[in-house]
Amino acid sequence: MTTIVVGYVPKAEGRAALRRAAEEATLRDAKLVVVNSHRGGRSYDSDEAAASDAALTEVREQLDATGVPYEVRQLVRGLDPAEDLVAVAEQVHAEFIVIGLRRRSPVGKLILGSNAQRVLLDAPCPVLAVKADEGED
């Protein structure tokens, strides 16, 4: 069975990536590996952990409804999300990675667009970048 890795954050871009990854998994009879990555440390407090757990419960419920086989990995190990996605893709020999993107200002692209760019450049497989729906948070 082939495997698709999807980067998930509980935001519009994460939900868009999850939807598309589930569609692709259905089309390809593939397994999904959902990766939710946090750097950890002092900036990752118990409130954030609880919110992340609640979001991942929603992910599991959504994927259970699709019938797609999946695994959810919540990683808090000090790596950037891009590093975690690439490492998981290598580990599971992913057919491809799905990531979500959101529209950014020109300055925002310079400062905040590094994770998506790093996944695109460092991934051991093709990357499908999905735009978040307009108007969704």
Side-chain angles (χ1 to χ4, degrees):
M1 176 176 273
T2 59
T3 303
I4 298 169
V5 172
V6 57
Y8 179 78
V9 290
K11 297 179 180 179
E13 59 266 30
R15 289 187 288 276
L18 184 66
R19 277 192 304 274
R20 184 55 186 266
E23 290 170 5
E24 291 293 332
T26 300
L27 289 171
R28 299 166 187 263
D29 194 28
K31 174 184 175 182
L32 274 185
V33 177
V34 181
V35 177
N36 178 249
S37 175
H38 301 275
R39 257 198 176 286
R42 284 184 234 157
S43 65
Y44 188 67
D45 61 24
S46 59
D47 290 339
E48 276 185 299
S52 184
D53 289 343
L56 293 180
T57 297
E58 287 181 28
V59 166
R60 288 181 181 94
E61 290 170 356
Q62 194 176 354
L63 292 175
D64 284 342
T66 68
V68 169
Y70 69 91
E71 170 187 343
V72 175
R73 296 187 186 188
Q74 184 172 21
L75 305 175
V76 183
R77 56 187 190 187
L79 300 177
D80 287 327
E83 292 173 299
D84 277 333
L85 274 175
V86 168
V88 170
E90 288 172 344
Q91 181 184 44
V92 302
H93 307 288
E95 183 176 339
F96 63 94
I97 299 170
V98 181
I99 59 172
L101 302 176
R102 62 188 162 116
R103 191 171 293 277
R104 297 181 186 269
S105 69
V107 173
K109 288 176 189 173
L110 285 173
I111 299 170
L112 301 171
S114 63
N115 278 324
Q117 182 177 355
R118 287 185 55 211
V119 171
L120 289 166
L121 295 174
D122 297 341
C125 56
V127 178
L128 174 60
V130 180
K131 285 181 13 179
D133 294 332
E134 293 292 325
E136 199 177 346
D137 65 22

